[in-house]
Amino acid sequence: MAFPRLVRAKPPAEDALSERSDDELMQLACAGLKEAFATLVERHAQRVINLCSRFAGDPQLGRELAQDTWVLVWQSREKYQTTGGFGSWLTTVACNHCRNQLRRRKLARAHAALPVPEHTPVPGQLDDLLHEERRRRVRAALADLPYQMREAVLLRFAEDLRYDEMTSVVGTGESTLRSRVHHALKLLKQKLEDS
């Protein structure tokens, strides 16, 4: 599913926006240029959807949270400081929004149910079912982790952030984040072995 466009398709003369840095695009967005913001959305949309979906444990809810994140980014665009850290700032906005929404909705666990086949699967389908079952077990084990551990694991491995980048997103020291990731991985391994 493609991310919805915020503005009409750009004429060829505006293709130069795609060559601008994220900081330059945010400066233009602050000045009210919606095309610059649309370029940012296009550039980072899938990443925000993936991040929100992982935090929510539900792809549909993740898409909704991602859409809300972009609204928040637009509304708070003037607060952005052009320091070359747009990716970290965007991740922080998305994480905070997910955290607040999930806390508000009191979602302890939300993951997609494994579809039950109506007929006997053929060998290729059986492999797909086994793969999906493994993914479901990992998602369930991840959803069972305490929120701070789950957040640290997702930022480290799903978002591929370094620990120093994670500190600016979470607002916690690097050693604490390393400890959370370490203990979360131990818990995940134990939960997966038990199931």
Side-chain angles (χ1 to χ4, degrees):
M1 177 176 177
F3 200 84
R5 301 255 336 160
L6 297 178
V7 294
R8 287 181 289 144
K10 296 179 271 188
E14 294 179 10
D15 280 340
L17 286 176
S18 64
E19 296 174 10
R20 300 226 180 195
S21 71
D22 292 339
D23 282 342
E24 292 172 324
L25 291 172
M26 277 301 285
Q27 286 176 335
L28 292 170
C30 286
L33 186 62
K34 291 180 182 177
E35 291 82 4
F37 189 72
T39 301
L40 276 172
V41 171
E42 237 174 58
R43 192 176 287 174
H44 298 282
Q46 194 58 53
R47 179 174 161 233
V48 174
I49 290 171
N50 292 343
L51 174 66
C52 293
S53 295
R54 287 183 190 110
F55 269 91
D58 176 355
Q60 183 59 37
L61 180 56
R63 284 187 203 92
E64 292 173 23
L65 292 170
Q67 182 69 29
D68 294 343
T69 297
W70 286 110
V71 171
L72 291 171
V73 169
W74 175 258
Q75 290 171 342
S76 61
R77 68 191 181 278
E78 292 168 357
K79 295 178 185 175
Y80 177 70
Q81 297 175 0
T82 55
T83 58
F86 179 77
S88 294
W89 184 75
L90 178 61
T91 301
T92 302
V93 172
C95 287
N96 288 341
H97 179 63
C98 289
R99 186 181 305 123
N100 292 339
Q101 288 302 313
L102 294 176
R103 189 178 300 138
R104 212 170 296 170
R105 294 175 189 220
K106 295 181 181 177
L107 290 177
R109 191 184 338 210
H111 51 267
L114 181 65
V116 179
E118 296 179 9
H119 56 81
T120 306
V122 294
Q125 288 176 323
L126 189 56
D127 290 341
D128 292 343
L129 288 173
L130 290 172
H131 181 69
E132 182 57 34
E133 174 62 18
R134 277 188 225 109
R135 292 181 69 197
R136 187 197 61 75
R137 287 177 52 216
V138 170
R139 283 193 306 261
L142 193 58
D144 280 343
L145 289 177
Y147 181 80
Q148 292 178 333
M149 286 184 179
R150 184 172 68 236
E151 178 182 49
V153 167
L154 288 174
L155 290 174
R156 179 67 186 108
F157 297 107
E159 288 302 305
D160 199 28
L161 294 180
R162 296 184 319 265
Y163 285 103
D164 61 326
E165 294 172 322
M166 291 169 60
T167 60
S168 66
V169 172
V170 179
T172 304
E174 192 173 319
S175 60
T176 302
L177 290 171
R178 287 181 185 277
S179 175
R180 285 180 187 169
V181 168
H182 172 76
H183 292 293
L185 292 176
K186 281 178 62 175
L187 275 174
L188 277 175
K189 181 180 178 186
Q190 181 182 359
K191 287 176 186 292
L192 291 172
E193 287 173 353
D194 292 346
S195 66

